[in-house]
Amino acid sequence: MSATPQKNRATRRVLAAAAGLATVGALVAAMPAGAHDRGHGHKPRTVDVQLLSFNDLHGNLEPPAGSAGNVSETQPDGTVKAIPAGGVEYLATSLRTARKGNPYSVTAAGGDMVGASPLLSGLFHDEPTIEALNGLDLDVTAVGNHEFDEGAAELARLQNGGCHPVEGCYEKGKKFKGADFPYLAANVTKEKTGRPLLKPYTVWKKNGVKIGFIGVTLEGTPDIVTANGVKGLKFHDEVETINKYARELDRKGVKSIVALIHEGGAPASTSYNYDCDSPGAGDGISGPIVDIAKGITPKVDALVTGHTHQAYVCTVPDPSGQPRMVTSASSFGKLYTDTTLTYDRRTKDIVRTSVKSANHVVTRDQAKATDMTRLIDRWNKLAAPIASKPQGWISADINGRGSTAPEKPLGNVIADAQLEGLAPADKGGAEVAFMNPGGIRADLVHKASGSEGDGVVTYGEAFTVQPFTNMMNVVDLTGARLVTALQQQVSGSNAASPKILQVSKGLTYTLDLTKSGADRVVAGTIKLNGEAIDPARTYRVAMNEFLAGGGDGFAALGEGTNKLVGASDLDLFNAYLAAHSTAAAPLAPPATDRITVIQ
C-alpha cells in the first residue's frame, strides 16, 4: 500500500513551506507538545535496538550432556540451582521469541562458534554449525582462537563456502554455501602483506539506524592454538586495534559501535544471575577483559566478550570514567544476552546511560525449533555409522569439563590412557604423561545419549571429550624442566588463571594455593612413583602435540628433545576404554589423589 509514504511526503512539504514563512521558534511553539523531540519525518528521536549475543558455541548443536550442560542460578534464599540448558533447537526458539516485538534487532557472537566441537559437527569440519548459525539469523561474529584450529584456509572456507579440500562434499549434489554472516578479525593480519585476514568491521543498518561492529580475537591466540593453525599470521593488541577501527568508523559517520572481543574475565560468582556490579569486597569481575575494557576508546558503546566460558553482565568504566556494559553468555548456547541500545537519531550515537542488559537461560522446557531438529537429524544420519560404535563402559559419570577441581577424574583417565599407550619401548618409552585441562571438552556421562544404553561410551561421546585428534608426542625432558613445567601451571602467563595439568598415575605433588606464583607448586613434594624428581635425570614424557609445542604457557614442555610421534590422543583414549572396561566390569571414576591441594 502506498498511501502512508505519500501522506508523509505531503506532511513534510507542508512543514517545509511553513518553515519558509515562520521563524523556527514560532514553528516549534506551534507544534504539538513533544513533537520537537522527534527526528526527521516524524520518527521518534530515539529508537531501542535489541542486541542479542552469545559466545563459545563450539559446535554444540545438540544439548551438551552432563554437568557441562548446566547453568548455575542463585535462588532468592541464596542456594544455587543447576538448570539444564543449551542446544540449538532451544537457542533458535529463545532468540526468535526474544525478537518478537523488536523491529530493530541484531544478533552478534563473541567467537569460538566452531572448533573443539562434538562429533556431529566436528566430523564434518563444522559445516553443520555454520548452517545452523545461518538458520539462527546470526548477523556477525568475531573470530575466536578455535576458528584457527584448522588454519586460515579452512577459516576462509567456512566464511566463503566450498567443499572440503580433502574430504569433498558430504551430501550428494550439495555444495557447502559458507556463512551468511561476516567473520570479523580486525587484529589478525597476514605476515607477508600486513593486510587483515578477514573484514575488521561491519556496519548493521536499518531505516537509517547504523551500528558498527568491530571483531577481535585474543592477542595470545598463537599461544593456545597449534603452530600450523596460525602459520603466516600476526595477532595484534586488542585495545590498539579496536581504537584504530573505532576512529575509522567515527570518520565514516558511524557513531554507535559495539566491540566483539574473544577474550573474557571471571566474575566473583559462577551464577548467571549474579549482580556483577554489587559493591561488596571481592565482588565484580577480574581477568584480562577488565584492563582491555578500561583501555578501549569511549567511542565504543558496549563490549560482547567470550573465551572464558563465564556468564556476566558487568559495567566497567571506559577511559573517560563512564560506565560501559561488558557481557558474556557462558558457552555451548546455554545462555543468550539481551542488551537494549538506545540509538539517538540526531547524534547517531547510543545513549549510554540507558543501556540495559541481562543474561537469559536457553531452557530445555520450551518448544524445539523444527528446522534445527531437521538439521540435526540430517547430519546425525550421516554420522551414525561412526558415532554409535561402542568404545567401552563406565559405572558412573566421569567428570572432566564439568569439574571445577584442579585434578579432574576424567583428566586422570586421559593421562593414564596416554601413559599406557606410549609406555612400551617401541611406542616411546613414556614414564609420565601430561594432559592440558582445556583439551578436555566434555564429561563422560553414564546416561545414554541415544539407543546405546546407559553406561556405554560411544565413539561420538569419546570424540566429544577429545575432539582435536592431536597427535601424541614422547620427548626427553630433564627433571629440572619437569619441575619448571609444573611451576608454569601457576606462574607467568598462567599466574592469574592457573592451568593445572592432568597427570598420569605415579606422579604426585602438593599444590599450595595460599602461596603466590611458582611457589604454589611445592617443589620438594614432586615425586614419580614415590621417588623425588632428580633435576639432572632425563625423563621420557608423553603429551599431545599442542603441549609439546609449548602451548598454554608451558614453554618448558616445548624444550623436549628426541621426539617420537605416536598415535592420536583419541585413539589412545578409545584403546584404554576398550582395555579397561566390559559390560560386566565397567570403568569406575578414578580417585583424585595425585595432587594434594592446600587452599
Side-chain angles (χ1 to χ4, degrees):
M1 301 242 323
S2 60
T4 315
Q6 281 178 341
K7 185 177 168 210
N8 279 347
R9 277 203 295 275
T11 312
R12 279 203 290 275
R13 277 201 299 275
V14 171
L15 282 174
L21 299 169
T23 65
V24 173
L27 178 62
V28 171
M31 278 183 180
H36 55 277
D37 288 328
R38 293 172 176 261
H40 306 296
H42 289 321
K43 285 176 181 167
R45 166 137 178 205
T46 61
V47 57
D48 281 348
V49 177
Q50 178 189 55
L51 170 62
L52 300 176
S53 57
F54 56 97
N55 50 278
D56 296 276
L57 181 65
H58 291 288
N60 278 263
L61 302 182
E62 294 175 297
S67 53
N70 292 336
V71 292
S72 298
E73 180 181 74
T74 300
Q75 305 302 297
D77 65 0
T79 57
V80 177
K81 181 180 173 187
I83 302 173
V88 293
E89 293 159 297
Y90 303 113
L91 180 60
T93 300
S94 288
L95 295 176
R96 288 164 188 171
T97 304
R99 288 177 190 135
K100 281 176 186 161
N102 289 286
Y104 293 85
S105 185
V106 57
T107 304
D112 276 7
M113 294 295 98
V114 300
S117 305
L119 183 108
L120 176 61
S121 187
L123 190 62
F124 306 107
H125 296 275
D126 283 312
E127 289 181 23
T129 297
I130 298 296
E131 189 185 325
L133 291 169
N134 289 343
L136 290 175
D137 292 321
L138 183 63
D139 290 295
V140 58
T141 184
V143 293
N145 51 289
H146 282 282
E147 264 80 16
F148 293 94
D149 283 348
E150 295 188 47
E154 176 62 3
L155 174 55
R157 186 182 79 87
L158 292 180
Q159 177 71 84
N160 302 319
C163 296
H164 192 269
V166 177
E167 294 175 30
C169 300
Y170 294 111
E171 294 178 287
K172 206 175 177 183
K174 267 192 187 176
K175 189 181 167 194
F176 174 58
K177 292 195 183 94
D180 289 346
F181 51 89
Y183 258 116
L184 304 181
N187 64 332
V188 186
T189 56
K190 297 174 187 172
E191 274 177 355
K192 278 184 181 165
T193 63
R195 296 177 64 80
L197 174 70
L198 295 167
K199 282 172 67 165
Y201 60 78
T202 189
V203 180
W204 178 85
K205 300 173 186 165
K206 182 163 184 181
N207 297 341
V209 173
K210 287 193 286 191
I211 298 179
F213 288 89
I214 303 168
V216 297
T217 187
L218 70 157
E219 187 184 4
T221 291
D223 304 329
I224 52 174
V225 172
T226 54
N228 280 345
V230 292
K231 209 172 178 180
L233 302 176
K234 201 164 163 43
F235 291 76
H236 303 269
D237 181 82
E238 303 95 338
V239 174
E240 287 171 19
T241 305
I242 290 168
N243 289 352
K244 170 186 160 184
Y245 287 112
R247 286 192 298 272
E248 189 172 308
L249 282 166
D250 190 51
R251 281 197 304 272
K252 291 183 172 180
V254 179
K255 310 291 184 186
S256 298
I257 302 171
V258 174
L260 308 175
I261 307 170
H262 192 70
E263 179 58 290
S269 162
T270 54
S271 291
Y272 83 91
N273 58 340
Y274 164 65
D275 178 6
C276 197
D277 293 337
S278 52
D283 272 337
I285 185 172
S286 59
I289 199 62
V290 178
D291 287 339
I292 289 172
K294 285 177 178 171
I296 289 174
T297 169
K299 292 182 197 300
V300 174
D301 298 294
L303 278 54
V304 171
T305 73
H307 188 54
T308 58
H309 291 205
Q310 301 292 314
Y312 48 84
V313 172
C314 307
T315 54
V316 178
D318 70 16
S320 69
Q322 296 304 305
R324 177 168 54 193
M325 200 59 81
V326 180
T327 68
S328 172
S330 183
S331 63
F332 301 171
K334 293 182 287 190
L335 297 177
Y336 71 92
T337 314
D338 188 336
T339 303
T340 303
L341 301 172
T342 302
Y343 182 91
D344 185 325
R345 290 181 189 275
R346 194 174 300 168
T347 63
K348 299 181 182 169
D349 208 347
I350 299 300
V351 184
R352 194 91 73 72
T353 51
S354 61
V355 174
K356 295 187 291 291
S357 194
N359 273 326
H360 301 277
V361 182
V362 176
T363 58
R364 298 184 198 166
D365 57 5
Q366 58 187 322
K368 293 180 179 183
T370 53
D371 57 330
M372 294 294 152
T373 305
R374 283 196 301 273
L375 181 150
I376 288 169
D377 289 349
R378 209 179 85 235
W379 288 101
N380 262 332
K381 278 195 184 75
L382 287 173
I386 295 168
S388 57
K389 279 185 183 161
Q391 303 297 311
W393 290 262
I394 55 174
S395 64
D397 288 3
I398 305 180
N399 284 348
R401 192 78 192 178
S403 167
T404 54
E407 182 184 347
K408 305 170 195 310
L410 189 50
N412 288 355
V413 173
I414 291 168
D416 287 352
Q418 295 177 352
L419 177 62
E420 184 170 297
L422 300 170
D426 62 334
K427 297 283 195 284
E431 298 167 83
V432 63
F434 291 135
M435 174 64 194
N436 55 309
I440 306 168
R441 304 307 298 188
D443 302 333
L444 274 187
V445 179
H446 185 262
K447 191 178 187 318
S449 59
S451 58
E452 76 275 11
D454 289 351
V456 178
V457 180
T458 64
Y459 184 87
E461 290 163 343
F463 183 99
T464 298
V465 168
Q466 295 257 268
F468 298 107
T469 50
N470 270 313
M471 300 314 290
M472 292 300 300
N473 290 184
V474 186
V475 298
D476 282 351
L477 281 173
T478 62
R481 285 203 172 108
L482 263 189
V483 172
T484 301
L486 290 173
Q487 290 171 330
Q488 285 171 345
Q489 301 176 109
V490 288
S491 62
S493 61
N494 294 328
S497 182
K499 290 191 174 79
I500 305 303
L501 294 165
Q502 306 299 289
V503 299
S504 55
K505 64 178 178 230
L507 188 82
T508 55
Y509 70 94
T510 297
L511 183 66
D512 187 348
L513 297 177
T514 65
K515 295 181 175 169
S516 61
D519 290 341
R520 287 186 273 191
V521 171
V522 185
T525 65
I526 305 171
K527 293 179 179 176
L528 183 59
N529 302 320
E531 287 184 18
I533 293 287
D534 177 354
R537 195 193 134 193
T538 298
Y539 295 83
R540 292 292 282 164
V541 184
M543 64 193 102
N544 59 43
E545 60 191 327
F546 169 65
L547 279 178
D552 265 354
F554 291 101
L557 296 181
E559 294 166 358
T561 56
N562 193 18
K563 179 168 80 174
L564 182 140
V565 177
S568 76
D569 51 8
L570 179 61
D571 286 345
L572 292 182
F573 184 48
N574 283 330
Y576 186 85
L577 290 170
H580 291 272
S581 69
T582 62
L587 182 71
T592 48
D593 54 5
R594 300 171 190 182
I595 305 171
T596 303
V597 182
I598 300 171
Q599 284 179 315

